[in-house]
Amino acid sequence: MKAFTKLLFIAFVAILGLVSCDKQSVLPTIEIKSVGSTENSIVFTISAKDASQIAYLCNTEGFDNISADKIMRDGVIATNVGNTVIVSDLQSGTKYNVVAAAKNELGAVMSNTISITTKHDNGNGGSDDNGGDGGNEDGPGSGDNGGNNDNNE
């Protein structure tokens, strides 16, 4: 009978450990999606799960030798995850690259990289580009119509 009680106790402790585990046991996941652009800003969303901190980088050169740790160290901390991020004071008609990272106690991971082109200033307060840059390098189109409309006025 002692052996059965001991076995029952061990099983109970094992099940209790599985049920009451509050610690995250998975790496975070993160994704960024282009929303669009204006003449001097780009707009994108960041979606993350199981993350304690999120950051992003934006530049015009691209991201050679980039890592999740570098993004977390040098990037802009994202406080409105799941919402729209607007990066402003940019040059018109310029392609910007964006990458993000998320981390928790198990480690850090990088997102996909997207490219968004600010709209061209055509001198009359409008834009000759209606829909972003036609897509990002790693995902679906980034504009409303999925491509440039340089001939569309």
Side-chain angles (χ1 to χ4, degrees):
M1 188 68 168
K2 282 185 173 182
F4 176 75
T5 305
K6 192 177 200 180
L7 184 59
L8 187 60
F9 177 75
I10 292 171
F12 176 75
V13 170
I15 291 172
L16 183 63
L18 291 174
V19 173
S20 67
C21 183
D22 288 337
K23 288 189 106 182
Q24 293 176 339
S25 59
V26 296
L27 284 170
T29 59
I30 186 165
E31 180 182 30
I32 55 177
K33 292 183 181 180
S34 173
V35 174
S37 67
T38 66
E39 292 172 358
N40 65 355
S41 66
I42 59 172
V43 184
F44 57 93
T45 59
I46 300 176
S47 301
K49 185 176 179 187
D50 299 317
S52 60
Q53 187 176 18
I54 293 146
Y56 68 89
L57 286 172
C58 176
N59 71 27
T60 58
E61 296 87 34
F63 297 104
D64 292 332
N65 300 317
I66 193 73
S67 69
D69 290 331
K70 180 171 177 48
I71 297 167
M72 295 307 302
R73 182 180 62 245
D74 299 339
V76 176
I77 300 300
T79 57
N80 55 343
V81 175
N83 295 314
T84 301
V85 177
I86 301 171
V87 180
S88 55
D89 296 326
L90 304 176
Q91 288 196 303
S92 80
T94 304
K95 178 181 169 183
Y96 290 90
N97 305 293
V98 183
V99 66
K103 77 174 188 176
N104 64 18
E105 68 274 0
L106 295 179
V109 296
M110 276 180 23
S111 73
N112 53 310
T113 300
I114 62 171
S115 296
I116 309 170
T117 300
T118 52
K119 295 181 179 183
H120 292 280
D121 181 358
N122 63 10
N124 64 6
S127 170
D128 63 354
D129 183 354
N130 184 23
D133 68 348
N136 60 48
E137 295 173 358
D138 296 322
S142 63
D144 293 336
N145 64 2
N148 285 333
N149 273 342
D150 291 335
N151 297 325
N152 187 10
E153 303 214 320

